[in-house]
Amino acid sequence: LSGVICAAVKARPNEYYCAFFERAGGRLARLSEDAVMSGEQIIEQAREFEGVVRLCGEGSTELLKTAPDSLFVDTGVQQSAANSALAAFFMPQVTCHQINPVYMKDSQAERMKKEREAK
């Protein structure tokens, strides 16, 4: 399989953590940085690519309900504990000091603190 892939994970109502990738010649290339986007923004970005965009992730079911039929195709691939465990099993061993979380949004506590400081 080759083509553009959108990985979308549900964050909040009409909000997703997502990124676009392209698979060609057995290699996967990143087309966008990780982002927090609305469904409309994902649809808008997907229209920039030729052909259909393959959706994966637990956000794909909801996105398919709102997008034009010809824009996306569902891969049926979604996150699960079993798939995460398999991916971890086949990855090189790392220590907890080599893993860094990526926070794409402030936590609720951080947002509330900024609101108080702004007053």
Side-chain angles (χ1 to χ4, degrees):
L1 278 175
S2 63
V4 176
I5 302 163
C6 175
V9 177
K10 192 78 174 109
R12 292 180 174 207
N14 194 36
E15 189 175 77
Y16 305 84
Y17 298 110
C18 70
F20 286 83
F21 302 88
E22 183 172 26
R23 182 174 177 173
R27 300 186 64 100
L28 192 64
R30 180 178 283 277
L31 297 176
S32 73
E33 295 300 317
D34 296 338
V36 178
M37 299 175 116
S38 69
E40 292 81 13
Q41 290 171 312
I42 293 172
I43 290 168
E44 184 178 316
Q45 187 164 353
R47 286 188 171 131
E48 296 176 11
F49 303 108
E50 283 188 36
V52 297
V53 173
R54 291 171 174 78
L55 279 174
C56 65
E58 55 93 16
S60 60
T61 304
E62 190 170 305
L63 281 169
L64 285 167
K65 292 177 186 176
T66 60
D69 290 340
S70 60
L71 186 59
F72 293 117
V73 64
D74 189 8
T75 63
V77 177
Q78 297 191 10
Q79 294 87 335
S80 70
N83 286 341
S84 296
L86 279 173
F89 180 77
F90 289 106
M91 288 184 67
Q93 296 296 309
V94 295
T95 69
C96 64
H97 303 290
Q98 296 169 291
I99 299 171
N100 293 313
V102 176
Y103 296 101
M104 296 169 36
K105 292 180 67 175
D106 289 341
S107 70
Q108 182 176 357
E110 291 168 320
R111 289 190 306 269
M112 291 171 68
K113 180 180 177 187
K114 286 179 183 177
E115 287 174 13
R116 280 193 308 273
E117 290 172 351
K119 290 181 180 180

